Amino acid sequence: MINNMTSIIRSTQGGCWGSDKLRLRLYGGIFDPAVMPLIDRVESLQGVIRKVKRIEAMGQTGRSNYVDVTKFPKAGTPKLSTDEMSEAPTAPFTYNEKMLANYVPVYVMLPLGVISNDNVFEDQPKMEKQLKELRAAGVDGVMVDVWWGIVESKGPKQYDWSAYRSLFALVQECGLKLQAIMSFHRCGGNVGDEVTIPLPQWVLDIGETDPDIFYTNRKGNRNKEYLTIGVDNQPLFDGRTAVQLYSDYMKSFREHMSDFIEAGLIIDIEVGLGPAGELRYPSYTGTQGWVFPGIGEFQCYDKYLEAEFKEAATGAGHPEWGLPDNAGEYNDTPGSTEFFGLNGTYMTEKGKFFLTWYSNKLINHGDEILDEANRAFLGCKVKLAAKVAGIHWWYKSPSHAAELTSGYYNLKDRDGYRPIARMLSRHYAIFNFTCLEMRDSEQRADAKCGPQELVQQVLSGGWREEVEVAGENALSRYDSNGYNQMLLNARPNGISREGLPKQIMYGVTYLRLSDELLKDKNFKIFKTFVKKMHADQDYCADLGMYNHQIGPLEPSKPKLVMEDLLEATKPMEPFPWGEETDMKVDDYDGVLANLIRKLFSLFK
């Protein structure tokens, strides 16, 4: 019997042992009791498994039983009798395990102001109704910004998590998972920002006497969205550095939310690393007058970053080099500047030195804060994540100007994103990328946009670095074209009927929950989108069934040396992409409406 048990254990596929283990326990009566402890030595259960989706068929029908585990005795009580097992309700097994390997979970971002500026969870009944609608639609979970400017607003280390605890409890009650963003940035000034949530007032007060704690452009204009990287290790905040501010915040979050983490509610901790929570410089922002498709401006002219660059240039033997003074202004085009124009400064030794320094500062910033996040959540059954912005405008111009000002040193002969993926890999962090919904044909021709090629490059680089890649749409979309582009990017070469596809995204987060999304027609299409992301499978509560089981967070791997990052800049051909998704969302109502409009136009 022990040999038989061993073969069963070895036969489990795709990391789904949590479900198989419980299944064997239910059939415990047919095994020798001396063998059952083997089950416990294989692996601990991942969270609280509420239902057993599959009990092996004893006959040749190919059918399986469906068992409600909530009716079973708790651990430590006697095993079920065969009579009790025969009384369990039965239904066909609905989860094809090979098809479930194609399952991409879908999360929905909650409104930016779901917790108000004065730290109150307002209109709970409406949110409860909306969350239940999402759950009924098959949505796997939700994402929420946990604003630094709200939680630590009263003063240094005066954290108030009460409103967020109320929200989290409701999400848990509604049967959804949770992605929590450590939002260390200001809300307001970026596309889609409907509310304004500033940084903590006591931090802004420090900025009154030392404005260089904020990102600064060449003209000296300050950006109060996020603290400059230059103060990461400056003890300017009542004796703490910026990195220590973020670290203490995350440690407090873990302490006060440990019950939700242990219960398996919180599965992702996305660490905010810049404006809009993205690892980038605030090179483009409406508060500074930027409008699409301006190239943006470098943001390194505060006294701290200026001093760091001067030191770096001197160390490289060029004390005469300064920060760029010919890179134009927010709404310029690349060709109108000396820096980004034909044979521009960006191609010179001086320009390359600056861009390498500027981009490496950004990567080091993310690396250092993710180190702190890893320490804060070490041992917790959560995944870390970081978001990178989809700067798709001017992607098809030689200088990639908008990417360069944002901190992504990406050119035809230099990959600016794979080094970020390599950095994230040492923290076991998810690479979350934006603009999944965009197609080249929808963009302005004069802006030389390339969202499709950009997504293809970034996702390919992430997969090559063996990090889990997730993503989201940049703008709210309710149409089949947007959804189909997201579906294509989630599984670039379609589904695999033989198990896990070669390339598949770890998850997709839809921006964002709103009354508009829940309108009848919009929500109908959205529900189809969710079903297609799930590869036409029903909602699956067991993360292990689609290879997403989450173990305790391990310590970060050793820090990368500069040569490791530079090696990752070598450009490589992206993986092949299909022309369109094989899990298409069809908007029949929209097609019919367009047809009617065309018919009427014939008679005008």
Side-chain angles (χ1 to χ4, degrees):
M1 180 58 69
I2 289 178
N3 289 338
N4 290 339
M5 175 64 78
T6 303
S7 68
I8 291 172
I9 290 172
R10 286 175 179 166
S11 72
T12 57
Q13 299 293 322
C16 303
W17 176 238
S19 302
D20 291 336
K21 177 171 145 183
L22 191 49
R23 179 192 346 153
L24 290 176
R25 283 204 173 282
L26 294 174
Y27 283 113
I30 66 174
F31 296 111
D32 187 302
V35 177
M36 295 309 293
L38 285 174
I39 298 173
D40 288 327
R41 294 207 298 269
V42 178
E43 184 181 339
S44 62
L45 286 173
Q46 300 290 339
V48 181
I49 301 177
R50 298 184 181 278
K51 291 185 178 181
V52 180
K53 297 295 183 186
R54 183 170 175 237
I55 296 180
E56 295 293 352
M58 293 297 156
Q60 299 179 355
T61 61
R63 314 288 271 184
S64 302
N65 292 327
Y66 182 100
V67 183
D68 188 347
V69 77
T70 60
K71 297 180 180 179
F72 293 161
K74 294 182 179 179
T77 59
K79 291 195 288 277
L80 294 173
S81 69
T82 53
D83 288 340
E84 287 174 301
M85 289 183 65
S86 65
E87 292 174 3
T90 61
F93 172 49
T94 59
Y95 294 111
N96 179 305
E97 289 185 3
K98 289 184 177 180
M99 284 299 292
L100 267 178
N102 298 277
Y103 186 106
V104 178
V106 177
Y107 305 89
V108 175
M109 293 186 204
L110 295 186
L112 292 165
V114 62
I115 303 298
S116 69
N117 247 340
D118 52 357
N119 208 354
V120 175
F121 179 18
E122 297 176 336
D123 208 350
Q124 294 189 37
K126 179 181 179 180
M127 179 54 59
E128 180 178 2
K129 179 177 180 295
Q130 292 181 333
L131 291 176
K132 287 179 177 178
E133 288 186 77
L134 293 179
R135 180 61 196 82
V139 168
D140 297 89
V142 294
M143 175 182 275
V144 64
D145 288 276
V146 184
W147 296 104
W148 180 33
I150 291 176
V151 173
E152 200 178 353
S153 62
K154 299 294 173 58
K157 295 189 178 182
Q158 296 183 39
Y159 307 106
D160 182 356
W161 303 100
S162 56
Y164 280 102
R165 283 195 56 84
S166 298
L167 172 61
F168 291 5
L170 180 59
V171 172
Q172 185 177 45
E173 181 185 322
C174 292
L176 294 160
K177 298 294 185 183
L178 186 67
Q179 299 173 316
I181 309 173
M182 303 291 98
S183 297
F184 298 120
H185 60 286
R186 179 190 71 195
C187 180
N190 285 299
V191 177
D193 286 355
E194 298 174 347
V195 297
T196 299
I197 302 171
L199 300 185
Q201 186 57 51
W202 58 273
V203 173
L204 296 176
D205 290 343
I206 293 171
E208 290 297 315
T209 55
D210 184 1
D212 285 279
I213 68 172
F214 301 116
Y215 279 118
T216 307
N217 69 3
R218 191 172 63 86
K219 287 185 176 179
N221 296 325
R222 314 292 184 176
N223 187 311
K224 298 181 180 180
E225 281 187 80
Y226 187 82
L227 296 174
T228 171
I229 292 174
V231 299
D232 275 358
N233 297 296
Q234 299 285 344
L236 304 173
F237 307 94
D238 294 326
R240 291 189 292 167
T241 66
V243 170
Q244 288 171 332
L245 297 181
Y246 308 142
S247 177
D248 289 343
Y249 184 86
M250 291 187 286
K251 289 174 182 175
S252 180
F253 180 88
R254 173 180 176 169
E255 178 186 349
H256 289 85
M257 302 298 183
S258 60
D259 52 337
F260 292 120
I261 295 173
E262 290 168 7
L265 171 70
I266 302 172
I267 55 170
D268 290 354
I269 304 291
E270 184 170 288
V271 183
L273 300 172
E278 298 165 336
L279 179 63
R280 65 173 174 86
Y281 294 92
S283 56
Y284 59 97
T285 175
T287 59
Q288 300 274 350
W290 174 86
V291 294
F292 179 85
I295 60 174
E297 293 188 28
F298 292 118
Q299 303 288 321
C300 52
Y301 299 85
D302 60 84
K303 66 182 181 184
Y304 300 104
L305 283 179
E306 279 192 321
E308 286 191 40
F309 179 77
K310 189 67 175 176
E311 181 181 356
T314 301
H318 288 281
E320 75 280 8
W321 283 352
L323 295 171
D325 60 2
N326 61 350
E329 298 183 353
Y330 286 109
N331 296 316
D332 283 340
T333 60
S336 66
T337 73
E338 187 179 341
F339 192 95
F340 298 112
L342 188 65
N343 298 318
T345 306
Y346 79 95
M347 301 179 68
T348 66
E349 181 186 4
K350 177 182 177 181
K352 290 177 180 178
F353 178 84
F354 165 73
L355 290 169
T356 301
W357 172 83
Y358 190 69
S359 60
N360 283 346
K361 284 295 298 179
L362 189 67
I363 294 173
N364 289 336
H365 169 73
D367 189 41
E368 193 167 359
I369 296 174
L370 283 168
D371 253 337
E372 295 300 320
N374 181 272
R375 295 186 186 102
F377 297 103
L378 190 64
C380 296
K381 290 185 178 180
V382 297
K383 300 282 291 184
L384 296 180
K387 185 162 71 168
V388 172
I391 312 296
H392 59 89
W393 53 105
W394 304 114
Y395 181 84
K396 293 184 177 180
S397 68
S399 66
H400 291 240
E403 292 168 88
L404 265 52
T405 58
S406 296
Y408 307 140
Y409 189 5
N410 188 55
L411 298 171
K412 185 178 181 180
D413 61 353
R414 189 187 197 280
D415 193 324
Y417 300 97
R418 201 154 59 87
I420 297 173
R422 184 164 293 187
M423 178 272 288
L424 293 177
S425 71
R426 91 172 188 92
H427 304 288
Y428 312 99
I430 298 168
F431 191 129
N432 187 18
F433 196 63
T434 62
C435 78
L436 293 188
E437 85 286 8
M438 293 185 174
R439 298 189 299 175
D440 294 5
S441 60
E442 299 168 341
Q443 313 304 319
R444 284 173 47 174
D446 62 327
K448 297 186 178 180
C449 299
Q452 291 176 246
E453 293 83 359
L454 173 61
V455 169
Q456 190 175 0
Q457 177 195 343
V458 173
L459 268 56
S460 295
W463 285 320
R464 282 206 167 94
E465 294 299 321
E466 299 182 348
V467 299
E468 286 153 344
V469 179
E472 58 194 50
N473 50 311
L475 303 173
S476 293
R477 293 282 291 267
Y478 310 105
D479 61 292
S480 58
N481 288 336
Y483 289 136
N484 286 332
Q485 189 62 33
M486 294 175 74
L487 284 158
L488 172 61
N489 289 325
R491 290 182 294 258
N493 303 118
I495 61 169
S496 168
R497 300 188 183 279
E498 297 304 318
L500 191 66
K502 288 183 179 179
Q503 281 87 43
I504 183 171
M505 294 188 71
Y506 189 76
V508 167
T509 303
Y510 175 81
L511 178 152
R512 138 178 356 259
L513 177 61
S514 66
D515 293 337
E516 188 72 15
L517 172 65
L518 297 175
K519 286 182 178 178
D520 287 347
K521 180 190 173 184
N522 290 345
F523 202 48
K524 180 181 178 182
I525 301 175
F526 176 77
K527 285 188 283 189
T528 303
F529 164 70
V530 172
K531 185 79 170 179
K532 296 301 180 182
M533 275 292 178
H534 291 169
D536 275 341
Q537 303 302 297
D538 291 337
Y539 164 78
C540 182
D542 184 350
L543 278 63
M545 291 291 282
Y546 52 92
N547 302 290
H548 277 48
Q549 63 277 5
I550 302 175
L553 184 62
E554 300 176 27
S556 295
K557 289 177 277 190
K559 194 171 181 67
L560 298 168
V561 297
M562 183 58 65
E563 288 73 16
D564 291 325
L565 293 177
L566 291 177
E567 195 277 331
T569 65
K570 180 182 177 181
M572 301 179 75
E573 282 296 314
F575 291 120
W577 240 247
E579 289 295 321
E580 61 179 24
T581 179
D582 58 350
M583 281 282 174
K584 203 168 184 180
V585 173
D586 290 311
D587 180 8
Y588 295 112
D589 293 339
V591 171
L592 181 60
N594 285 331
L595 179 60
I596 292 173
R597 278 195 294 270
K598 288 180 180 179
L599 286 173
F600 272 110
S601 69
L602 296 175
F603 298 99
K604 287 184 177 179

PDB file of all heavy atoms in Angstrom, residues 228-243:
ATOM      1  N   THR A 228      11.859  62.631  -4.083  1.00  0.00           N
ATOM      2  CA  THR A 228      12.934  62.351  -5.015  1.00  0.00           C
ATOM      3  C   THR A 228      13.792  61.180  -4.528  1.00  0.00           C
ATOM      4  O   THR A 228      14.005  60.994  -3.321  1.00  0.00           O
ATOM      5  CB  THR A 228      13.824  63.586  -5.222  1.00  0.00           C
ATOM      6  OG1 THR A 228      14.985  63.199  -5.984  1.00  0.00           O
ATOM      7  CG2 THR A 228      14.311  64.167  -3.909  1.00  0.00           C
ATOM      8  N   ILE A 229      14.299  60.423  -5.485  1.00  0.00           N
ATOM      9  CA  ILE A 229      15.229  59.339  -5.177  1.00  0.00           C
ATOM     10  C   ILE A 229      16.442  59.874  -4.422  1.00  0.00           C
ATOM     11  O   ILE A 229      17.062  59.155  -3.640  1.00  0.00           O
ATOM     12  CB  ILE A 229      15.687  58.663  -6.492  1.00  0.00           C
ATOM     13  CG1 ILE A 229      14.522  57.929  -7.147  1.00  0.00           C
ATOM     14  CG2 ILE A 229      16.841  57.702  -6.266  1.00  0.00           C
ATOM     15  CD1 ILE A 229      14.858  57.353  -8.516  1.00  0.00           C
ATOM     16  N   GLY A 230      16.734  61.154  -4.616  1.00  0.00           N
ATOM     17  CA  GLY A 230      17.900  61.748  -3.962  1.00  0.00           C
ATOM     18  C   GLY A 230      17.850  61.720  -2.450  1.00  0.00           C
ATOM     19  O   GLY A 230      18.899  61.834  -1.794  1.00  0.00           O
ATOM     20  N   VAL A 231      16.667  61.580  -1.859  1.00  0.00           N
ATOM     21  CA  VAL A 231      16.576  61.561  -0.391  1.00  0.00           C
ATOM     22  C   VAL A 231      16.313  60.158   0.148  1.00  0.00           C
ATOM     23  O   VAL A 231      15.966  59.999   1.318  1.00  0.00           O
ATOM     24  CB  VAL A 231      15.488  62.531   0.124  1.00  0.00           C
ATOM     25  CG1 VAL A 231      15.816  63.958  -0.292  1.00  0.00           C
ATOM     26  CG2 VAL A 231      14.096  62.144  -0.374  1.00  0.00           C
ATOM     27  N   ASP A 232      16.492  59.144  -0.698  1.00  0.00           N
ATOM     28  CA  ASP A 232      16.274  57.773  -0.242  1.00  0.00           C
ATOM     29  C   ASP A 232      17.044  57.471   1.036  1.00  0.00           C
ATOM     30  O   ASP A 232      16.534  56.778   1.930  1.00  0.00           O
ATOM     31  CB  ASP A 232      16.689  56.775  -1.333  1.00  0.00           C
ATOM     32  CG  ASP A 232      15.587  56.519  -2.338  1.00  0.00           C
ATOM     33  OD1 ASP A 232      14.483  57.079  -2.186  1.00  0.00           O
ATOM     34  OD2 ASP A 232      15.828  55.763  -3.303  1.00  0.00           O
ATOM     35  N   ASN A 233      18.268  57.981   1.121  1.00  0.00           N
ATOM     36  CA  ASN A 233      19.117  57.665   2.277  1.00  0.00           C
ATOM     37  C   ASN A 233      19.559  58.908   3.040  1.00  0.00           C
ATOM     38  O   ASN A 233      20.595  58.902   3.718  1.00  0.00           O
ATOM     39  CB  ASN A 233      20.332  56.852   1.809  1.00  0.00           C
ATOM     40  CG  ASN A 233      19.906  55.509   1.220  1.00  0.00           C
ATOM     41  OD1 ASN A 233      19.362  54.658   1.909  1.00  0.00           O
ATOM     42  ND2 ASN A 233      20.134  55.329  -0.087  1.00  0.00           N
ATOM     43  N   GLN A 234      18.739  59.963   2.945  1.00  0.00           N
ATOM     44  CA  GLN A 234      18.997  61.193   3.696  1.00  0.00           C
ATOM     45  C   GLN A 234      18.072  61.246   4.915  1.00  0.00           C
ATOM     46  O   GLN A 234      16.848  61.217   4.765  1.00  0.00           O
ATOM     47  CB  GLN A 234      18.742  62.423   2.809  1.00  0.00           C
ATOM     48  CG  GLN A 234      19.619  62.506   1.573  1.00  0.00           C
ATOM     49  CD  GLN A 234      21.038  62.923   1.898  1.00  0.00           C
ATOM     50  OE1 GLN A 234      21.325  63.433   2.983  1.00  0.00           O
ATOM     51  NE2 GLN A 234      21.950  62.675   0.973  1.00  0.00           N
ATOM     52  N   PRO A 235      18.611  61.337   6.142  1.00  0.00           N
ATOM     53  CA  PRO A 235      17.776  61.313   7.361  1.00  0.00           C
ATOM     54  C   PRO A 235      17.092  62.654   7.631  1.00  0.00           C
ATOM     55  O   PRO A 235      17.343  63.320   8.652  1.00  0.00           O
ATOM     56  CB  PRO A 235      18.785  60.950   8.454  1.00  0.00           C
ATOM     57  CG  PRO A 235      20.076  61.535   7.968  1.00  0.00           C
ATOM     58  CD  PRO A 235      20.054  61.403   6.465  1.00  0.00           C
ATOM     59  N   LEU A 236      16.217  63.047   6.734  1.00  0.00           N
ATOM     60  CA  LEU A 236      15.608  64.383   6.794  1.00  0.00           C
ATOM     61  C   LEU A 236      14.228  64.386   7.427  1.00  0.00           C
ATOM     62  O   LEU A 236      13.648  65.454   7.636  1.00  0.00           O
ATOM     63  CB  LEU A 236      15.492  64.940   5.362  1.00  0.00           C
ATOM     64  CG  LEU A 236      16.785  65.016   4.546  1.00  0.00           C
ATOM     65  CD1 LEU A 236      16.467  65.422   3.104  1.00  0.00           C
ATOM     66  CD2 LEU A 236      17.752  66.002   5.183  1.00  0.00           C
ATOM     67  N   PHE A 237      13.695  63.219   7.755  1.00  0.00           N
ATOM     68  CA  PHE A 237      12.298  63.111   8.187  1.00  0.00           C
ATOM     69  C   PHE A 237      12.240  62.679   9.649  1.00  0.00           C
ATOM     70  O   PHE A 237      12.046  61.511   9.972  1.00  0.00           O
ATOM     71  CB  PHE A 237      11.552  62.130   7.276  1.00  0.00           C
ATOM     72  CG  PHE A 237      11.699  62.477   5.814  1.00  0.00           C
ATOM     73  CD1 PHE A 237      12.702  61.890   5.036  1.00  0.00           C
ATOM     74  CD2 PHE A 237      10.866  63.424   5.222  1.00  0.00           C
ATOM     75  CE1 PHE A 237      12.853  62.223   3.703  1.00  0.00           C
ATOM     76  CE2 PHE A 237      11.024  63.762   3.890  1.00  0.00           C
ATOM     77  CZ  PHE A 237      12.021  63.165   3.125  1.00  0.00           C
ATOM     78  N   ASP A 238      12.488  63.665  10.519  1.00  0.00           N
ATOM     79  CA  ASP A 238      12.576  63.392  11.956  1.00  0.00           C
ATOM     80  C   ASP A 238      13.569  62.274  12.235  1.00  0.00           C
ATOM     81  O   ASP A 238      13.326  61.371  13.048  1.00  0.00           O
ATOM     82  CB  ASP A 238      11.198  63.030  12.530  1.00  0.00           C
ATOM     83  CG  ASP A 238      10.233  64.204  12.482  1.00  0.00           C
ATOM     84  OD1 ASP A 238      10.688  65.350  12.647  1.00  0.00           O
ATOM     85  OD2 ASP A 238       9.032  63.976  12.259  1.00  0.00           O
ATOM     86  N   GLY A 239      14.703  62.335  11.531  1.00  0.00           N
ATOM     87  CA  GLY A 239      15.762  61.357  11.747  1.00  0.00           C
ATOM     88  C   GLY A 239      15.677  60.121  10.877  1.00  0.00           C
ATOM     89  O   GLY A 239      16.608  59.305  10.864  1.00  0.00           O
ATOM     90  N   ARG A 240      14.589  59.970  10.143  1.00  0.00           N
ATOM     91  CA  ARG A 240      14.443  58.804   9.261  1.00  0.00           C
ATOM     92  C   ARG A 240      14.729  59.188   7.810  1.00  0.00           C
ATOM     93  O   ARG A 240      14.474  60.324   7.399  1.00  0.00           O
ATOM     94  CB  ARG A 240      13.030  58.220   9.359  1.00  0.00           C
ATOM     95  CG  ARG A 240      12.723  57.550  10.690  1.00  0.00           C
ATOM     96  CD  ARG A 240      11.385  56.807  10.635  1.00  0.00           C
ATOM     97  NE  ARG A 240      10.242  57.707  10.517  1.00  0.00           N
ATOM     98  CZ  ARG A 240       9.006  57.309  10.198  1.00  0.00           C
ATOM     99  NH1 ARG A 240       8.766  56.025   9.934  1.00  0.00           N
ATOM    100  NH2 ARG A 240       8.011  58.188  10.139  1.00  0.00           N
ATOM    101  N   THR A 241      15.215  58.230   7.049  1.00  0.00           N
ATOM    102  CA  THR A 241      15.388  58.423   5.613  1.00  0.00           C
ATOM    103  C   THR A 241      14.069  58.088   4.918  1.00  0.00           C
ATOM    104  O   THR A 241      13.166  57.490   5.513  1.00  0.00           O
ATOM    105  CB  THR A 241      16.484  57.503   5.061  1.00  0.00           C
ATOM    106  OG1 THR A 241      16.039  56.135   5.182  1.00  0.00           O
ATOM    107  CG2 THR A 241      17.791  57.673   5.825  1.00  0.00           C
ATOM    108  N   ALA A 242      13.980  58.423   3.623  1.00  0.00           N
ATOM    109  CA  ALA A 242      12.770  58.086   2.870  1.00  0.00           C
ATOM    110  C   ALA A 242      12.570  56.569   2.833  1.00  0.00           C
ATOM    111  O   ALA A 242      11.447  56.076   2.998  1.00  0.00           O
ATOM    112  CB  ALA A 242      12.857  58.652   1.452  1.00  0.00           C
ATOM    113  N   VAL A 243      13.641  55.827   2.618  1.00  0.00           N
ATOM    114  CA  VAL A 243      13.523  54.369   2.584  1.00  0.00           C
ATOM    115  C   VAL A 243      13.007  53.837   3.914  1.00  0.00           C
ATOM    116  O   VAL A 243      12.193  52.910   3.958  1.00  0.00           O
ATOM    117  CB  VAL A 243      14.874  53.726   2.205  1.00  0.00           C
ATOM    118  CG1 VAL A 243      14.833  52.210   2.412  1.00  0.00           C
ATOM    119  CG2 VAL A 243      15.226  54.046   0.752  1.00  0.00           C
TER     120      VAL A 243
END
